[in-house]
Amino acid sequence: MKHLFLSIFLAGAASLFAQDAPDACTSIMVGKKASADGSVMTSHTCDSWYRTWMQMADAKDYPRDTVVSIFKGRMHTEYPSSRDGMTEAGTIPQAKHTYRFLDTAYPCLNEKQLAMGETTFSGRDTLRNEKGMFLIEELQRIALERCTTAREAISLMGKLIKEYGYADGGECLTIADPKEVWIFEVLGEGPDKIGGVWAAQRIPDDHIAVSANVSRIGKIDFKDKDNFMYSDNVKDVARKLGLWDGKSEFNFWKAYSGGNYQKEEKNYSVRELFIMNELAPGAGFTSEMSELPVSVKPEKPVSVEDVSRLLASYYEGTDKNLSGRLKVKNSKKNIEKGEPDSVVSVFANPWMRPDEIAVYEAMGDSVMHNIRTVSVSWCAYSHIIQCRDWLPDAVGGVAWVALDNPGQSPRFPIFAGNTDVPELLKVCGQHRERDDAALWRFRKPNRLATVRWGQSRKFTEPARDHFLKKGKMEMPMVEQLYLDYEKAGNEEEGKAMLTEYSKDFFGAAVNRWDELDRRLWYQHWRGF
């Protein structure tokens, strides 16, 4: 009965929260001199109904004249070997050797510490050409299989786009390696040409950057080859399609996107502005600006915990916090002097559904209007990836992964050197409720916690934060163990150790959320 109730509840929530692509993912980038420990970081929240199964795709060697298939539809499969809903878009020559990589819906980390985040910005509808071979996730897969640096990945993807065509809408990849991080934006060339147009900009080492479903790249310095890369047709396509007059200063986002998903002529929206102001409060960014810089120097060094906090954000402490606006009468019998006569309802939560908000609006509550938060309840998974040049690749690259809402769920590490992932991660939980899919072990207690968020957050948020603290405390030991294995010439044993550590860490997180599930059901024994 409990499972039936939750299945109905979550199915309804999914339909209500169905989002257009522009209102989806968020990525934060951190340069090595801007980070607290010298790591380069990228990140990604996969905020839509995409697969949650993951695997470590093996490194392989191939004979000459081998080809590899390029697919469409792999984002919605239920497990790694499934081909349901998939079509082959074509084939390309296979590389002689491919690298091992963490195969998520948007592939994200390979064994050489090449890492990627993603965010969709759609762009102009007139640019899309579905006859192209590549969707963005397949570009990521091929680049992670073949490349070791961000620049190499951008160059390869550019060549593939030119030769085989790009079929997706406007997409941004945030690409990191142990030395640097780049923002890469790509679109089609329009219905008359199978190809694509793209630009990439390097984030300065002492800067952070944010991409959240809005094209961010503006002016391109065509003489600065160290900090800009671009397709050879980047101006010609804009001129041909009437998106640029060929005389004024060329601006990538103005030509190919035109504005944000709220139809404003800006290269940012709420999330970019909020995150950049959180990390650089003295920069003076305001919503009145027509353009935000791609990056900014943070006021303080940025840690994994900082990025996790921002990806979990729902603007608490600001007037944008939805859960802080639902006030009810103070029910205390004796209100002491100075106490408010109204308090925030325990039923208020930052991720209230549109129909819930509509009820309060219908009752005359004029402040109950939804604003897109950074963390959302329809998130499939998220990650924060560190690339660290002072450590061997196997342990230097680490993805801090969470399933479901990043505002509620714990993070666990998967290393570049991992050879496997826990069994519960090998099944997608999006198609139906199933306890053998890791997603549901987090999603069920997370949803139940929102029923009386004002109470349950007091113990769920400390549980969430515990696992990053655990990781921070244990990582020096894990890193030293791997170094010891490597020094002794036992790299494969070291990778096995990393794999088992990830499984143990993940298992502890699942067990804690199973306990939360039981506690929350007991808490609601009298009803909701």
Side-chain angles (χ1 to χ4, degrees):
M1 189 67 185
K2 177 175 73 173
H3 292 174
L4 176 62
F5 166 79
L6 277 166
S7 295
I8 295 171
F9 176 81
L10 290 168
S15 64
L16 285 163
F17 275 133
Q19 298 291 310
D20 293 333
D23 202 17
C25 314
T26 304
S27 178
I28 300 172
M29 297 147 272
V30 184
K32 63 188 303 181
K33 292 182 180 178
S35 69
D37 64 355
S39 62
V40 180
M41 285 185 264
T42 186
S43 58
H44 171 56
T45 63
C46 186
D47 297 338
S48 193
W49 194 85
Y50 293 126
R51 66 168 169 93
T52 59
W53 66 258
M54 304 176 187
Q55 68 171 349
M56 294 303 299
D58 292 333
K60 293 181 180 179
D61 293 308
Y62 295 91
R64 181 179 296 181
D65 298 328
T66 303
V67 297
V68 57
S69 294
I70 305 302
F71 294 104
K72 294 180 179 179
R74 194 165 179 257
M75 299 283 277
H76 301 291
T77 51
E78 197 165 5
Y79 41 87
S81 61
S82 171
R83 293 296 178 265
D84 293 343
M86 287 175 55
T87 58
E88 185 182 78
T91 62
I92 65 172
Q94 179 60 284
K96 183 178 180 181
H97 177 79
T98 60
Y99 299 118
R100 183 191 298 116
F101 69 95
L102 178 54
D103 185 9
T104 46
Y106 292 94
C108 63
L109 174 66
N110 75 8
E111 63 179 292
K112 298 297 183 179
Q113 295 198 69
L114 176 62
M116 296 186 183
E118 179 276 345
T119 167
T120 302
F121 64 85
S122 290
R124 300 185 188 276
D125 294 339
T126 53
L127 291 167
R128 189 159 184 169
N129 189 330
E130 295 185 1
K131 294 179 182 179
M133 184 182 295
F134 277 94
L135 297 178
I136 194 66
E137 64 271 16
E138 287 291 84
L139 279 175
Q140 291 179 258
R141 175 173 70 90
I142 296 299
L144 288 169
E145 285 182 337
R146 303 182 181 193
C147 301
T148 62
T149 69
R151 291 173 189 262
E152 187 181 354
I154 293 167
S155 179
L156 173 62
M157 290 189 293
K159 292 175 183 177
L160 294 172
I161 290 164
K162 184 174 183 177
E163 184 170 356
Y164 299 101
Y166 176 73
D168 229 333
E171 287 280 354
C172 169
L173 298 181
T174 58
I175 311 173
D177 61 38
K179 300 294 185 183
E180 56 188 6
V181 60
W182 287 70
I183 183 169
F184 166 89
E185 296 182 349
V186 57
L187 307 96
E189 282 192 53
D192 297 331
K193 181 67 181 292
I194 297 175
V197 61
W198 59 270
Q201 183 171 345
R202 184 181 185 273
I203 307 305
D205 289 343
D206 59 350
H207 278 211
I208 64 92
V210 187
S211 176
N213 312 127
V214 182
S215 177
R216 300 281 289 119
I217 297 175
K219 178 184 175 181
I220 298 173
D221 187 340
F222 292 98
K223 296 180 180 179
D224 186 354
K225 304 299 183 181
D226 288 334
N227 294 296
F228 290 91
M229 300 173 71
Y230 43 86
S231 57
D232 56 13
N233 61 354
V234 70
K235 286 185 176 181
D236 295 338
V237 172
R239 187 187 293 110
K240 175 185 174 182
L241 297 178
L243 304 176
W244 175 56
D245 61 13
K247 299 176 182 178
S248 59
E249 182 179 71
F250 179 76
N251 183 296
F252 188 86
W253 73 262
K254 288 182 179 180
Y256 292 112
S257 177
N260 63 26
Y261 52 85
Q262 294 171 323
K263 310 302 182 185
E264 299 171 316
E265 293 184 5
K266 296 179 178 179
N267 72 334
Y268 69 95
S269 190
V270 177
R271 282 170 285 159
E272 292 93 346
L273 182 62
F274 172 77
I275 292 170
M276 292 179 78
N277 275 332
E278 283 287 295
L279 295 177
F285 300 138
T286 74
S287 60
E288 304 305 314
M289 300 172 68
S290 62
E291 186 171 24
L292 277 183
V294 169
S295 64
V296 67
K297 185 175 182 179
E299 189 173 281
K300 299 177 182 178
V302 179
S303 66
V304 171
E305 292 81 5
D306 292 327
V307 177
S308 184
R309 173 182 60 83
L310 291 167
L311 294 182
S313 173
Y314 48 82
Y315 315 129
E316 189 167 27
T318 76
D319 59 3
K320 294 181 176 63
N321 177 17
L322 179 66
S323 63
R325 286 178 256 166
L326 180 55
K327 299 291 186 69
V328 296
K329 181 180 178 181
N330 192 330
S331 61
K332 287 179 66 174
K333 291 183 179 179
N334 298 308
I335 300 177
E336 298 179 9
K337 185 177 180 180
E339 282 190 291
D341 57 6
S342 64
V343 294
V344 175
S345 170
V346 295
F347 292 103
N349 77 77
W351 310 287
M352 283 186 279
R353 307 186 313 179
D355 58 348
E356 292 179 274
I357 297 171
V359 170
Y360 299 118
E361 289 180 327
M363 293 189 297
D365 193 335
S366 61
V367 300
M368 290 299 291
H369 298 294
N370 191 31
I371 296 175
R372 176 27 162 113
T373 48
V374 183
S375 66
V376 292
S377 59
W378 61 87
C379 180
Y381 69 91
S382 64
H383 62 66
I384 303 164
I385 301 178
Q386 292 179 279
C387 303
R388 302 175 290 179
D389 63 2
W390 66 93
L391 289 167
D393 290 333
V395 70
V398 56
W400 294 97
V401 179
L403 294 166
D404 197 57
N405 187 344
Q408 296 179 288
S409 294
R411 296 195 176 277
F412 52 89
I414 298 179
F415 296 90
N418 274 39
T419 57
D420 198 7
V421 298
E423 292 300 311
L424 288 175
L425 288 176
K426 297 177 182 179
V427 179
C428 176
Q430 299 285 36
H431 297 261
R432 59 186 183 274
E433 181 201 359
R434 48 189 304 171
D435 281 345
D436 63 343
L439 176 69
W440 282 89
R441 306 295 280 270
F442 299 102
R443 177 166 284 176
K444 287 190 290 187
N446 285 351
R447 295 300 179 277
L448 193 56
T450 62
V451 175
R452 297 178 68 88
W453 181 244
Q455 292 179 347
S456 61
R457 66 174 297 186
K458 295 175 183 177
F459 53 88
T460 58
E461 287 183 334
R464 175 200 67 192
D465 296 341
H466 161 78
F467 285 92
L468 276 182
K469 294 176 182 176
K470 169 183 167 69
K472 185 175 183 179
M473 178 178 64
E474 295 176 353
M475 283 295 281
M477 174 195 69
V478 174
E479 292 158 8
Q480 186 58 53
L481 280 172
Y482 182 82
L483 291 172
D484 291 343
Y485 277 114
E486 185 182 63
K487 186 176 181 180
N490 298 323
E491 290 184 23
E492 293 308 309
E493 290 184 36
K495 293 175 183 177
M497 179 274 295
L498 295 175
T499 301
E500 292 306 309
Y501 177 76
S502 290
K503 290 182 177 181
D504 288 346
F505 199 113
F506 169 79
V510 170
N511 287 338
R512 179 68 67 89
W513 254 247
D514 285 347
E515 291 175 5
L516 287 176
D517 189 44
R518 291 187 289 270
R519 177 174 179 176
L520 287 162
W521 277 108
Y522 179 77
Q523 179 176 300
H524 295 304
W525 70 272
R526 295 179 65 181
F528 296 105

